Amino acid sequence: ILWWRMPDTTEYIFQRNSLLFFMIIAQSNGVVTSAVTVFSMERTLLQRERSKKMYGVASYFLAKTVSDMTNNVLLPVMYTMVVYWVANLRNEASAYFKFILAYYLIISTAQSMGLAISVAIPQVHLALVLAPPVTLFFMIMGGFYIPLENLHPGVEWASWLSFCRYGYSALIINEYEGRAIECSQNDLEDLTTIGSGTSDSCPLPGEEVIRAMGIKGIAEGFWFNIGMMIVLQLVFRLGAYIILRRSKQ
């Protein structure tokens, strides 16, 4: 309701950006926590059946990966498929399907991170304590609260490890790249608005919104961010598999 049918003008740029980031927050936290909880319950069963030689880690991990990539992310993706049109985001078929792809990878990467945390930390209570702050840290590194170019040099490197950075960047690029945003009546005289950058032209080029978020250089490519989420997901999954493989029976 708060973002119902937003007008496609410069006055609502910040609202659009906040919605895109809110969708990441709303689902990622729950997915990470769920992944930690579910594997903690499965760990004892896996250890018992491994000891009986019923199946190996590879078989279990492959089956779990297939399950995680479908069942656990299906509802969050369906949620965004509805929100996209309700909020009046970019009204193009290609942008819609790219949005779904990007959001699917955001949620599945968050799920993979939750699994990696759960495998690396056998104590379920400790894993549940650490998972939320780790997720929150990566969200702060995502570029909404602090533009990427304004991050402190001491932590800027961590943003390159954040699935939120690549996911949010992909959603922002998909929403604004290659389009012109009509100026609202309030912005006709001054186009400097929160999150929209500065321009002396009207309509406002979408690329200026992207650059105002600190998304520059190679990170301006939609498919670069998609590729990086795939890489992070593979790293989380491979790391979890290696740790699980080396764990005691």
Side-chain angles (χ1 to χ4, degrees):
I1 295 177
L2 296 177
W3 290 280
W4 177 267
R5 304 301 297 173
M6 292 180 291
D8 198 5
T9 64
T10 54
E11 186 176 3
Y12 285 83
I13 287 176
F14 181 78
Q15 286 87 331
R16 286 174 179 272
N17 295 352
S18 65
L19 172 61
L20 294 175
F21 199 75
F22 174 78
M23 286 193 288
I24 297 176
I25 295 175
Q27 300 296 332
S28 295
N29 271 321
V31 168
V32 171
T33 303
S34 174
V36 172
T37 304
V38 170
F39 179 75
S40 298
M41 294 187 295
E42 293 178 351
R43 185 189 294 272
T44 302
L45 177 63
L46 172 62
Q47 291 175 341
R48 183 175 70 245
E49 296 189 351
R50 283 180 68 189
S51 65
K52 295 179 180 180
K53 308 297 182 182
M54 296 183 67
Y55 52 78
V57 173
S59 300
Y60 164 81
F61 207 81
L62 179 61
K64 183 168 182 59
T65 298
V66 173
S67 174
D68 289 344
M69 295 302 100
T70 53
N71 299 337
N72 293 354
V73 299
L74 181 61
L75 288 179
V77 170
M78 291 177 64
Y79 151 79
T80 58
M81 291 171 68
V82 175
V83 171
Y84 189 94
W85 298 114
V86 168
N88 193 35
L89 294 177
R90 190 169 187 170
N91 191 19
E92 297 177 11
S94 60
Y96 177 63
F97 289 112
K98 288 167 69 175
F99 175 89
I100 294 174
L101 171 63
Y103 197 79
Y104 170 83
L105 289 174
I106 293 169
I107 299 303
S108 59
T109 304
Q111 199 282 334
S112 297
M113 186 183 76
L115 175 62
I117 292 173
S118 183
V119 172
I121 306 175
Q123 297 79 14
V124 59
H125 298 297
L126 181 58
L128 288 173
V129 168
L130 293 179
V134 170
T135 307
L136 178 61
F137 176 75
F138 282 138
M139 288 180 177
I140 294 174
M141 295 293 103
F144 176 72
Y145 297 114
I146 306 174
L148 297 173
E149 61 183 3
N150 294 340
L151 289 173
H152 189 279
V155 296
E156 183 182 6
W157 61 270
S159 70
W160 294 98
L161 305 177
S162 170
F163 71 92
C164 292
R165 169 184 179 146
Y166 302 114
Y168 186 54
S169 295
L171 297 182
I172 288 290
I173 293 167
N174 183 58
E175 180 67 19
Y176 296 110
E177 186 179 39
R179 61 179 296 200
I181 307 167
E182 293 297 328
C183 297
S184 65
Q185 188 63 36
N186 295 335
D187 293 334
L188 287 176
E189 295 182 359
D190 183 7
L191 295 179
T192 304
T193 58
I194 297 176
S196 66
T198 302
S199 173
D200 57 0
S201 63
C202 189
L204 181 70
E207 283 71 14
E208 293 203 16
V209 181
I210 297 172
R211 287 192 290 270
M213 300 302 297
I215 305 172
K216 299 179 180 179
I218 191 173
E220 287 186 86
F222 174 83
W223 295 108
F224 167 80
N225 291 287
I226 293 296
M228 288 303 298
M229 282 192 286
I230 294 175
V231 169
L232 281 178
Q233 188 168 174
L234 291 176
V235 169
F236 287 138
R237 288 275 165 181
L238 182 60
Y241 174 76
I242 292 173
I243 295 172
L244 192 60
R245 182 102 181 163
R246 293 182 178 181
S247 63
K248 294 181 179 181
Q249 300 284 336

